[in-house]
Amino acid sequence: MDKYIYDDKNDLWYELRGDYYIPCLELSAEKEERHIGVWGQRHLRYIREHKKALYTSLLTNGKLQSYLADVEEQAQALFDRLMKQRAEREDITETLKADNQTEWVQRMNALRSAVIETVNAEVIFV
């Protein structure tokens, strides 16, 4: 038996593995490497568990990496913007940090938790 065969019907090469011919398939390499941080990883986990058709489609089309990088950028931009706006609105300033570090840390942690919930609801778990 030949190690490789070509099928004219579907334009695929097949490789002999044991007793079976397996298609020689490769996912196309993505053009660019973009950072996927905590937001992208969180969204990946969500679509893997809850949106399996979307996940499979992105994975097989070779667009998963760029999709997750886009989600990462959107979520991080929203997080940064909301943190700045809400900190100003709630008067959490460098002056407070200098005067009372404990209160500043408590308020920033509460603010961060609230902003994370907002980003999760608007970008990650959609």
Side-chain angles (χ1 to χ4, degrees):
M1 296 174 83
D2 293 335
K3 175 81 173 157
Y4 294 96
I5 60 172
Y6 182 75
D7 187 355
D8 292 325
K9 296 176 188 172
N10 59 15
D11 295 328
L12 288 178
W13 282 94
Y14 292 84
E15 179 181 8
L16 183 63
R17 299 259 178 114
D19 293 336
Y20 301 98
Y21 280 103
I22 308 294
C24 298
L25 301 175
E26 292 181 12
L27 291 176
S28 61
E30 293 196 20
K31 297 174 185 147
E32 56 187 275
E33 283 293 321
R34 293 169 57 196
H35 175 71
I36 297 176
V38 66
W39 302 112
Q41 293 296 326
R42 191 173 291 167
H43 187 68
L44 174 61
R45 191 174 332 114
Y46 173 74
I47 64 172
R48 246 195 235 143
E49 293 175 10
H50 301 286
K51 302 210 174 203
K52 293 178 182 178
L54 173 63
Y55 171 74
T56 303
S57 174
L58 290 169
L59 184 62
T60 56
N61 290 333
K63 297 180 181 178
L64 182 62
Q65 181 80 16
S66 62
Y67 171 79
L68 293 174
D70 289 342
V71 169
E72 174 73 26
E73 290 172 7
Q74 291 171 7
Q76 189 62 50
L78 180 61
F79 178 81
D80 293 341
R81 189 176 76 243
L82 290 176
M83 283 295 290
K84 183 179 178 184
Q85 288 173 351
R86 291 182 182 180
E88 289 173 0
R89 186 173 59 212
E90 295 179 20
D91 199 33
I92 304 173
T93 62
E94 291 298 316
T95 306
L96 175 63
K97 183 178 179 180
D99 294 343
N100 190 344
Q101 289 182 350
T102 305
E103 182 183 350
W104 182 85
V105 169
Q106 289 172 345
R107 291 176 68 184
M108 284 301 286
N109 285 342
L111 178 63
R112 181 175 287 110
S113 295
V115 170
I116 287 172
E117 288 301 315
T118 302
V119 172
N120 283 340
E122 292 184 13
V123 180
I124 304 302
F125 303 133
V126 177

